[in-house]
Amino acid sequence: MDPFYTNELIPALNRGLVMSTMLIIPSAFFGLLGGILVGTFRVFGPKPIQRLFNAYTAIFRGVPLMVQLFILYYGLPNIGIYFEAYTAAVIGFILCSSAYNSEYIRGALLAIKSGQLQAASALGMSKTQALVWIIIPQAFRRALPGCGNEMIYLIKYSSLAYIVSCIELTGEARAIAAQSFRFTEAFTVVACYYLLLVSIATYLLKKVEKRLAIPGFGTK
Amino acid sequence: MTVPILFARDICVTIGSNEILKNVSLSLPKGSLKVLIGPSGAGKSTFLQTLNHLIPHDSGCLELNGKEINLNNKRELYAYRQQVGMIFQDFNLFDHLNALDNVAIALRKVKGVERQTAHNRAMQELKRVGLEDKATLYPAELSGGQKQRVAIARALAMDPTVLLLDEPTSALDPELIGEVLAVIRDLTRDGLTMVMATHQMDFARALAHEIVFMQDGEIIEQGSPEELLQEGTSSRTRDFCARLVTAIDDKR
């Protein structure tokens, strides 16, 4: 085999893969958690909180992620806030992914019949208890396909981390390609890496969906 | 005179410019079954929901065992609701929980009962409504009558002093009504205090201690089934029931 692959490209991409994974996993987890919180506050929160989180969603869905990352990494130091490249990227991904996920969760929450909340209240549950034990578990199941979709997106937009100098898969591939001028090979292989990551995520998401499946909720 | 278990005094509810309830008062002695009847839009459902404050009233007050409930105090309201169980027309079982957990969840999360104890208690209540063999099934797998019986078990598990039933059989197929009414009949025999809105006149006639006739947000008449429904009496209730019967006959 061409030593370009075995000695240069693959070791670099494997290094990038580790970094990508370290970006994706916390971003996906906290992005989902954030989405649930933001979505719930946007539907059931007090009016001022609803407005606040609506504004948050409008901003983070409305501004290109690349611009958000630039602001986080290059802009904030102007007001004395410094982030490592990795931290800036993860924060950016979590904020963006939360905004998108909140919309899936919001839709699912609105689809839950008001009788569920009434029945919970009639048993003496507080609003918070009803949300935590009755409403959110149902909404989460309904939102899961959408949130899964957002995670798949996240895997791919994690490639933007390299523009704030956090060198992950795409960053490594770019460096190797620029060095060797073998763009086609480098990016074809990196494409396979992403495809693999997405396939694994799809498989895991399907497993989770199956695990959470309940008669009357999604998969039979 | 003994203090009623639940007393609603001069309840008024206005939504927009619509007066839904106009000074409705109701007193529930221990162990009594009061049946609310009246045309749709009379305010029966709204009234039942004000009784556990799912719909807030604009004026009036609620007393449990002679003590006025401070509904602005969240803690007091939640404690009050535990005492006043509610059965809904469309069941409102928690769709993501099986029958057993539907009954156990409030015991665990509201009363803080430990998991195993709560499950034992839930099983006991499912037995009471004849559904112990359906404990692991989800609402989507139960018939309407079974769902309503689980809902009754869920309310009973909280040891309520009063049970409110909002047309518990209206969403059921005719052949399933009997099984739910049988459970409610058993509850009256056990001496549970209940208010029930229903169109099941035969049931009301046989078991109600008092029939309360509502129309346009007001209580028009109340009295024992004998007083209101006997041949020869001229009550609004009797008129209404007669029309109900003719309507059914016309359909046939």
Side-chain angles (χ1 to χ4, degrees):
Chain A
M1 202 179 186
D2 188 340
F4 166 70
Y5 291 101
T6 47
N7 297 345
E8 286 183 63
L9 187 59
I10 302 290
L13 290 188
N14 285 348
R15 217 166 39 238
L17 181 65
V18 172
M19 179 48 90
S20 281
T21 313
M22 279 166 50
L23 286 167
I24 292 163
I25 290 178
S27 304
F29 179 77
F30 289 105
L32 184 60
L33 207 67
I36 294 174
L37 280 174
V38 173
T40 307
F41 277 118
R42 286 177 66 199
V43 178
F44 291 104
K47 274 272 139 54
I49 306 274
Q50 281 189 22
R51 264 185 232 123
L52 180 75
F53 281 113
N54 283 342
Y56 158 81
T57 310
I59 291 169
F60 283 84
R61 284 200 309 162
V63 175
L65 181 57
M66 195 190 287
V67 176
Q68 293 175 35
L69 291 177
F70 278 145
I71 292 174
L72 275 169
Y73 190 63
Y74 297 113
L76 290 187
N78 290 335
I79 54 166
I81 302 173
Y82 295 88
F83 287 123
E84 299 256 343
Y86 171 79
T87 319
V90 171
I91 291 176
F93 295 157
I94 291 176
L95 289 174
C96 176
S97 161
S98 295
Y100 277 100
N101 277 328
S102 83
E103 198 65 1
Y104 294 114
I105 298 282
R106 191 175 72 91
L109 286 169
L110 292 174
I112 307 281
K113 278 185 280 162
S114 61
Q116 297 285 311
L117 190 58
Q118 274 188 330
S121 306
L123 287 164
M125 285 195 190
S126 67
K127 195 168 171 186
T128 314
Q129 283 176 324
L131 287 174
V132 170
W133 300 111
I134 308 298
I135 309 295
I136 293 175
Q138 294 184 30
F140 181 69
R141 285 179 168 87
R142 297 211 188 284
L144 198 54
C147 293
N149 196 32
E150 175 58 27
M151 280 183 202
I152 304 284
Y153 270 132
L154 167 67
I155 291 174
K156 290 173 293 169
Y157 64 62
S158 72
S159 62
L160 285 177
Y162 90 87
I163 61 162
V164 289
S165 78
C166 175
I167 303 304
E168 40 62 77
L169 263 178
T170 309
E172 297 281 4
R174 220 169 152 263
I176 298 277
Q179 242 172 55
S180 61
F181 286 100
R182 298 176 74 165
F183 286 90
T184 315
E185 293 94 323
F187 285 112
T188 307
V189 176
V190 89
C192 293
Y193 271 70
Y194 278 109
L195 205 54
L196 181 75
L197 277 177
V198 169
S199 303
I200 294 172
T202 309
Y203 171 78
L204 291 177
L205 283 164
K206 201 161 255 168
K207 277 224 134 160
V208 174
E209 252 183 71
K210 232 184 201 146
R211 196 151 174 183
L212 293 178
I214 278 175
F217 284 87
T219 40
K220 291 268 170 199
Chain B
M1 202 188 111
T2 51
V3 180
I5 293 248
L6 181 65
F7 184 47
R9 190 202 309 267
D10 296 332
I11 302 288
C12 294
V13 172
T14 309
I15 295 174
S17 60
N18 254 355
E19 279 185 272
I20 312 285
L21 293 176
K22 305 164 192 164
N23 289 307
V24 179
S25 296
L26 189 77
S27 163
L28 272 183
K30 189 171 166 51
S32 63
L33 167 64
K34 293 210 177 190
V35 168
L36 297 181
I37 61 167
S40 59
K44 305 181 297 279
S45 210
T46 308
F47 181 54
L48 282 177
Q49 291 189 50
T50 56
L51 286 180
N52 67 356
H53 208 59
L54 284 181
I55 294 179
H57 50 252
D58 299 315
S59 65
C61 72
L62 297 170
E63 288 174 16
L64 191 71
N65 291 316
K67 190 176 160 288
E68 186 180 338
I69 308 299
N70 176 6
L71 296 160
N72 294 321
N73 181 332
K74 288 263 164 76
R75 195 174 287 252
E76 206 172 317
L77 173 63
Y78 299 149
Y80 170 72
R81 282 184 178 152
Q82 290 178 49
Q83 300 275 305
V84 182
M86 179 131 197
I87 304 298
F88 300 86
Q89 185 175 341
D90 41 7
F91 330 124
N92 292 337
L93 285 187
F94 303 134
D95 292 325
H96 65 305
L97 299 175
N98 65 26
L100 189 71
D101 284 321
N102 257 284
V103 182
I105 185 103
L107 283 174
R108 289 173 54 200
K109 304 306 175 194
V110 178
K111 291 205 162 174
V113 175
E114 179 258 337
R115 188 192 178 89
Q116 193 52 49
T117 321
H119 277 178
N120 292 343
R121 176 66 201 272
M123 205 49 165
Q124 211 177 311
E125 293 303 334
L126 285 178
K127 245 180 218 151
R128 188 161 164 188
V129 297
L131 288 175
E132 67 269 36
D133 55 332
K134 307 285 184 211
T136 57
L137 296 188
Y138 286 89
E141 301 169 306
L142 298 170
S143 74
Q146 290 167 342
K147 279 187 220 178
Q148 194 58 296
R149 281 147 70 198
V150 173
I152 293 174
R154 177 174 72 177
L156 293 178
M158 299 299 281
D159 291 318
T161 41
V162 178
L163 195 59
L164 314 173
L165 303 104
D166 187 5
E167 303 202 20
T169 57
S170 297
L172 297 176
D173 290 337
E175 74 269 24
L176 300 176
I177 291 175
E179 64 186 67
V180 172
L181 290 182
V183 169
I184 299 170
R185 187 195 60 220
D186 290 346
L187 296 179
T188 61
R189 292 194 179 144
D190 296 346
L192 186 63
T193 312
M194 292 187 276
V195 196
M196 171 170 166
T198 188
H199 294 294
Q200 298 292 320
M201 288 316 300
D202 292 334
F203 181 83
R205 200 190 306 255
L207 290 170
H209 298 101
E210 193 169 84
I211 290 181
V212 178
F213 181 69
M214 284 183 77
Q215 192 167 14
D216 297 329
E218 282 175 295
I219 293 180
I220 306 284
E221 277 177 343
Q222 48 185 327
S224 69
E226 295 78 38
E227 283 164 21
L228 295 181
L229 296 173
Q230 204 126 65
E231 298 281 341
T233 53
S234 66
S235 66
R236 300 276 289 273
T237 314
R238 211 175 120 71
D239 280 358
F240 173 73
C241 295
R243 263 182 285 130
L244 211 62
V245 173
T246 2
I248 293 167
D249 286 346
D250 283 353
K251 268 188 202 156
R252 284 177 190 155

